[in-house]
Structure formats: C-alpha cells, structure tokens
Amino acid sequence: GQNIDQPTEMTATEGAIVQINCTYQTSGFNGLFWYQQHAGEAPTFLSYNVLDGLEEKGRFSSFLSRSKGYSYLLLKELQMKDSASYLCAVRDSNYQLIWGAGTKLIIKP
Amino acid sequence: IAGITQAPTSQILAAGRRMTLRCTQDMRHNAMYWYRQDLGLGLRLIHYSNTAGTTGKGEVPDGYSVSRANTDDFPLTLASAVPSQTSVYFCASSEDGGAKDTQYFGPGTRLTVL
C-alpha cells in the first residue's frame, strides 16, 4: 500500500527554526509537494521537489532524498502566523497526489 | 478575482437526502479534483477530471458522482447521503495534471449528515 508519514504535532518558539519530516512509500514517484493549511482554510502550495537536494524559498526550504523516501520542510525565523498544519503529498505513478495526515505546528511566543 | 469558488460554505443534511456541492474555477485549468478531509487522515481523492468531458474515480468514490460538462464547473453529487459522508470537502484545480502540476484549492464545504 501507499503511505505518507508525518509527525502529528510539533511545538516551536517564535524566532526559532523547525524541521518537519515526511517519509513516504508510494507506487512510483513523480514529485513531492508541501502545502500549508491554516485552521478552517484551504491548503496552499509551498514547495515542490522532484530531484534530490534542497530547494530554498525565503524562510522556507524543502529537502528531498528519493533513495531514502524522505523529505523535510525547514521553517526559519518562525512567526506566529506560521502556526498551521503542514501537509506532505507525493505524486505517484498514476500522477495522483497521495497525502499525509499533516503536521500541526504550534508556535509559542 | 481569479480562483476557485465552492458552494455552499456549510450544510447540515438529513441522511438519505440528495446533495450537490458546487465548484467553479475561472483559471481555465484543465484538471479538477474533489477531496474529502477528515480529522487524523490525509486528503483523500474522491473523483477527478483531467479535461472537460472526462472523469475518473479516486481513492474513495463510492456514494459520490461527478460530471464535467465544461472547463469551469465540476459539481459533486451525493445521491443518498449517509453519516459517514460528514466531512470537509475541497475542490481543487490544476493546469494539466502533469508531474509538476500544482493544485489550487477552493475554500471548502463543511458537510454534516445527520
């Protein structure tokens, strides 16, 4: 079966750095996505990785290792508005997105 | 403003009733999707459409039907609602459903079936 694993919840301090991990086992791989979802709102796109390595976009970076079936999202200089759920999704061999359950990130002052 | 709209925002429905959730996008995207989101679970694909006139089944299609008569609209119908269909429903669209294709989501419909 296909499986995406992420921690259920993480807590971090304003101004700090946090790393949210995602491991996956899917039938085929055509890229990995990270989305942000604030409570009661729609998911919004953050990043896309298809090759191994780090993609940096402002305060957010995303890393991929295809051989390990592993990705992480790194958030720097945390702000209160970063409190949200972060969803990891993998595009499988049928070009469908398989979604993790999401990691709820709580930022404390 | 370009984007995806969904209606209604929320709905309470008696079991056994028929219900259609509406989704409209104005980005001229070819591909559209319906997901349900339940607490503790990832988004699960119900049905999708890669282009107008075609539809396909996702992971959890039972009890749901869709149509894609034109590019902009992708309604989801529950023929006879059951309590297990209580969920938040998100419609999404993307340019062409390809590998790098990014999905954009509507605001969601919160449905409660009693």
Side-chain angles (χ1 to χ4, degrees):
Chain A
Q2 307 203 89
N3 196 48
I4 310 283
D5 285 319
Q6 309 178 231
T8 301
E9 187 176 296
M10 300 181 70
T11 302
T13 304
E14 190 177 15
I17 300 173
V18 70
Q19 177 175 311
I20 302 173
N21 296 325
C22 171
T23 58
Y24 62 89
Q25 290 178 306
T26 56
S27 56
F29 179 85
N30 283 298
L32 185 143
F33 294 78
W34 284 96
Y35 278 74
Q36 180 189 60
Q37 185 178 23
H38 285 101
E41 298 183 7
T44 56
F45 170 74
L46 286 177
S47 69
Y48 170 76
N49 295 70
V50 67
L51 300 176
D52 290 352
L54 188 69
E55 294 278 345
E56 297 186 78
K57 192 184 294 186
R59 293 189 299 113
F60 292 8
S61 303
S62 55
F63 171 83
L64 175 66
S65 169
R66 289 171 297 170
S67 62
K68 295 182 179 179
Y70 168 71
S71 173
Y72 66 73
L73 181 69
L74 192 71
L75 291 73
K76 303 176 185 177
E77 301 169 14
L78 286 170
Q79 302 175 10
M80 297 303 293
K81 67 179 182 180
D82 298 329
S83 291
S85 289
Y86 291 86
L87 314 181
C88 174
V90 171
R91 177 157 277 140
D92 69 8
S93 57
N94 293 319
Y95 288 86
Q96 300 299 341
L97 285 181
I98 309 301
W99 295 81
T103 299
K104 182 178 181 180
L105 178 63
I106 300 168
I107 310 296
K108 295 186 175 180
Chain B
I1 298 177
I4 303 177
T5 58
Q6 292 185 236
T9 301
S10 65
Q11 182 76 43
I12 298 174
L13 190 65
R17 297 297 296 269
R18 180 184 179 89
M19 176 74 191
T20 295
L21 308 185
R22 300 184 298 279
C23 175
T24 299
Q25 54 101 1
D26 62 2
M27 296 179 283
R28 308 304 294 171
H29 283 171
N30 285 314
M32 297 188 74
Y33 314 84
W34 274 106
Y35 290 95
R36 60 178 290 173
Q37 187 174 42
D38 302 290
L39 197 63
L41 298 176
L43 289 161
R44 291 183 292 169
L45 183 65
I46 304 170
H47 285 287
Y48 65 93
S49 169
N50 287 331
T51 190
T54 69
T55 62
K57 294 182 179 180
E59 179 186 356
V60 289
D62 293 344
Y64 307 94
S65 64
V66 291
S67 62
R68 187 86 185 278
N70 56 60
T71 298
D72 298 345
D73 301 300
F74 192 43
L76 176 74
T77 297
L78 289 68
S80 179
V82 296
S84 62
Q85 292 178 312
T86 293
S87 187
V88 179
Y89 291 85
F90 286 103
C91 178
S93 72
S94 65
E95 284 192 21
D96 58 15
K100 193 178 179 180
D101 206 30
T102 299
Q103 293 185 11
Y104 298 90
F105 286 79
T109 293
R110 185 174 296 274
L111 182 67
T112 302
V113 181
L114 301 176

